[in-house]
Amino acid sequence: MTLKEVLAQEKENLLCSLRECVRIRSVREEAEEGAPYGRGVRACLDYTLSLAKSLGLHCGELGHQVGWCEYGEGNEMVAVLGHLDVVPEGDGWTVDPYQGVIRDGKIYGRGTMDDKGPTIASIYALSAIQRLGLPVRRRIRVLFGTNEETGSADMKYYRANGGEIPVAGFTPDGEYPLVNGEKGIVNVSFERDCVQRGALRIRKISGGTAPNVVPDTAFAELSCDAKTAEAVLTLKEKQVRLIKTEYGVRMDAVGVSAHGSTPWQGENAVGRLLLALHRLPFEGETGELIAFLAERIGMECRGESLGIHLHDDISGDLSLNLGVLQADETRWKLVINFRYPVTKRYSDCGPKLKQQFEAAGFMLTDEVHKECLYVPAESEMVKTLLAVYGEKTGLPAKPICIGGGTYAKMLPNIVAFGPIFPGDEVREHKPDEYMEIDRLMENADIFAEAMYRLAK
Ligand SMILES: [Zn+2]
């Protein structure tokens, strides 16, 4: 029998296991004794470990944070890294998000695609290899984490507590054909005080909700007397609206939202607001601050005027998104998300950005940096995985680079491989998340073959 045939025999069992897994609402909650991410997440980890045991696989776990099952012998280990935690269901579902409803050849439910479906499929794939007793010279381990959606502290724990590091492997938590490059991602926050003077002053500025989203609205409240207000109201800017208020003028800017990894697909409303403010006669520190932000960033999204623009042919441009701006009469706060190309370093851009903000009187108050990931297309691991994908699907098998970050960054020697096929609808994190049952089985077959070839 082939791996595919064994998996086909197990189809009903696989579906049944996935439904049971989906029925456990593994959304992060408050930590409890023995449940660092809450009771639901712990229950899902326990369920998955007992499933793997019932399939006859060797199991292990660390700190109720990461579980795994394993097959084979050898000093080296190859891994598949999935996760069992899910994002909250949110609104807009037409089916129960935690029932595992099967309809029209699809299984619906939170986690079916991200990432319970691929994880359960991986466990069945490993079980199929064991059933056929295929000879391997490396152990194969399917790891299931429990905190991917809210910070991946699970994998930090695994690494800090002696969890074995694979020599190769993949996380089925991205897309096909294969992601071999993920830009470095930095979220950086700056703050400064602002002493105002003159007839025109900032009362409040607010725009943006998260660093990784291009703001589509932003507003400023400007305090001034009636005469100054009249002058301000003559300003004409596209997508900026001015209205007279009892304190002076309110300015509203409209943009187009986009993901922070592709800011060029949107229009930054905060940047637009700053450009409009820059045309008004602010004095003193307020004027300096607005000039700095409008001239160095404005609506740019590649860091050009900050002098941090970087590019490589593999992953494209550095992206920059001014994601949040908040100000009141005395203090300004902002958060920038920038992502540098996979062959560049943080030291090529991060320090330069910081230095310019500090020169403009800002203080860096927070910085989170996720390094880039890059595995050359010529590497054995990438070639092996792409060969499996190409043979199984008959589709072009070229690796891709992305601006987002996947779970692959959390464990060395791992790349994102599957579960989403090119052109398929992406419903992860959305209402009515589903996985086509045929796609689930296709994934299981690809995973099984990929694991086996990496290990043999
Ligand atoms: Zn995921």
Side-chain angles (χ1 to χ4, degrees):
M1 275 212 295
T2 63
L3 285 167
K4 191 172 183 170
E5 285 162 355
V6 175
L7 284 163
Q9 277 185 358
E10 288 295 313
K11 182 173 166 182
E12 287 312 314
N13 289 332
L14 196 166
L15 276 174
C16 178
S17 301
L18 177 54
R19 293 179 86 176
E20 284 180 30
C21 191
V22 167
R23 285 180 181 152
I24 305 168
R25 188 178 182 274
S26 51
V27 172
R28 184 185 187 157
E29 285 166 7
E30 230 163 282
E32 286 180 38
E33 176 77 38
Y37 306 113
R39 229 180 278 179
V41 174
R42 169 69 199 269
C44 197
L45 176 63
D46 289 348
Y47 168 76
T48 309
L49 283 166
S50 70
L51 166 69
K53 253 177 227 146
S54 74
L55 292 169
L57 296 161
H58 290 292
C59 294
E61 67 113 31
L62 261 181
H64 309 305
Q65 304 231 10
V66 180
W68 63 85
C69 51
E70 220 176 70
Y71 165 74
E73 306 285 328
N75 290 328
E76 291 181 339
M77 177 268 280
V78 297
V80 179
L81 174 61
H83 67 88
L84 299 172
D85 58 315
V86 293
V87 294
E89 62 282 5
D91 298 325
W93 288 77
T94 63
V95 294
D96 187 324
Y98 298 110
Q99 272 305 311
V101 173
I102 292 177
R103 186 195 288 167
D104 303 329
K106 296 169 180 163
I107 176 163
Y108 287 86
R110 181 55 89 223
T112 46
M113 172 160 301
D114 179 19
D115 195 42
K116 289 176 175 179
T119 304
I120 300 294
S122 302
I123 293 170
Y124 273 86
L126 186 62
S127 159
I129 293 172
Q130 170 158 292
R131 250 181 67 191
L132 292 181
L134 297 181
V136 291
R137 62 186 177 85
R138 292 163 164 172
R139 283 169 291 125
I140 309 171
R141 177 179 286 196
V142 175
L143 282 155
F144 21 97
T146 57
N147 182 234
E148 191 277 336
E149 300 291 0
T150 52
S152 302
D154 52 349
M155 294 315 295
K156 286 174 201 150
Y157 182 92
Y158 178 84
R159 291 172 68 176
N161 289 277
E164 187 178 347
I165 304 297
V167 295
F170 61 91
T171 175
D173 193 28
E175 58 188 298
Y176 289 120
L178 179 149
V179 180
N180 74 323
E182 300 176 19
K183 285 181 180 172
I185 306 178
V186 183
N187 283 327
V188 59
S189 307
F190 293 103
E191 290 186 27
R192 69 158 279 178
D193 287 329
C194 179
V195 180
Q196 303 204 74
R197 62 176 166 81
L200 182 61
R201 299 181 184 207
I202 298 293
R203 189 169 183 258
K204 185 179 172 145
I205 298 179
S206 178
T209 51
N212 63 349
V213 179
V214 176
D216 58 358
T217 59
F219 70 87
E221 296 173 358
L222 315 178
S223 37
C224 56
D225 57 32
K227 194 170 147 247
T228 312
E230 286 312 316
V232 169
L233 287 165
T234 62
L235 180 81
K236 289 228 158 23
E237 279 280 352
K238 241 175 65 187
Q239 308 282 49
V240 174
R241 203 180 51 154
L242 298 162
I243 43 171
K244 194 165 162 31
T245 61
E246 86 278 5
Y247 52 79
V249 177
R250 176 178 160 118
M251 178 187 278
D252 279 279
V254 177
V256 178
S257 190
H259 192 262
S261 61
T262 51
W264 33 79
Q265 290 176 4
E267 292 174 25
N268 194 315
V270 170
R272 181 165 277 147
L273 185 80
L274 286 164
L275 291 176
L277 290 172
H278 191 31
R279 293 187 52 202
L280 299 175
F282 287 97
E283 292 177 30
E285 291 186 4
T286 317
E288 288 165 25
L289 241 162
I290 290 167
F292 170 73
L293 293 174
E295 288 168 7
R296 298 293 171 87
I297 302 179
M299 291 182 71
E300 290 181 0
C301 41
R302 293 175 177 83
E304 297 95 327
S305 300
L306 283 163
I308 60 166
H309 178 234
L310 297 168
H311 175 94
D312 69 27
D313 289 340
I314 300 165
S315 59
D317 289 316
L318 175 141
S319 68
L320 181 132
N321 179 45
L322 176 48
V324 182
L325 175 63
Q326 299 289 342
D328 58 21
E329 283 154 351
T330 59
R331 196 159 177 84
W332 287 54
K333 299 179 187 178
L334 58 95
V335 190
I336 288 170
N337 172 273
F338 69 95
R339 299 163 188 245
Y340 56 92
V342 298
T343 62
K344 308 290 181 184
R345 306 246 144 278
Y346 171 81
S347 56
D348 298 329
C349 47
K352 205 164 180 183
L353 178 87
K354 180 173 176 232
Q355 177 217 318
Q356 289 179 75
F357 272 86
E358 285 178 349
F362 282 94
M363 212 175 71
L364 189 152
T365 52
D366 187 40
E367 184 171 44
V368 181
H369 173 208
K370 269 196 196 165
E371 283 192 51
C372 58
L373 175 152
Y374 178 53
V375 183
E378 306 75 45
S379 72
E380 232 8 83
M381 173 167 100
V382 169
K383 281 199 303 198
T384 302
L385 293 173
L386 284 175
V388 172
Y389 171 79
E391 288 164 28
K392 292 284 182 188
T393 64
L395 294 169
K398 278 188 84 171
I400 51 175
C401 285
I402 59 170
T406 77
Y407 212 20
K409 281 189 178 173
M410 301 313 298
L411 196 62
N413 308 317
I414 296 282
V415 290
F417 181 61
I420 300 168
F421 291 84
D424 278 5
E425 188 187 9
V426 179
R427 294 221 63 87
E428 53 180 29
H429 296 200
K430 292 185 183 161
D432 285 349
E433 178 178 345
Y434 69 81
M435 181 85 131
E436 278 129 340
I437 291 166
D438 288 348
R439 285 304 203 199
L440 185 67
M441 298 311 295
E442 219 177 329
N443 267 301
D445 181 38
I446 292 173
F447 298 163
E449 189 64 32
M451 287 178 202
Y452 173 54
R453 281 203 214 168
L454 289 175
K456 86 175 177 182

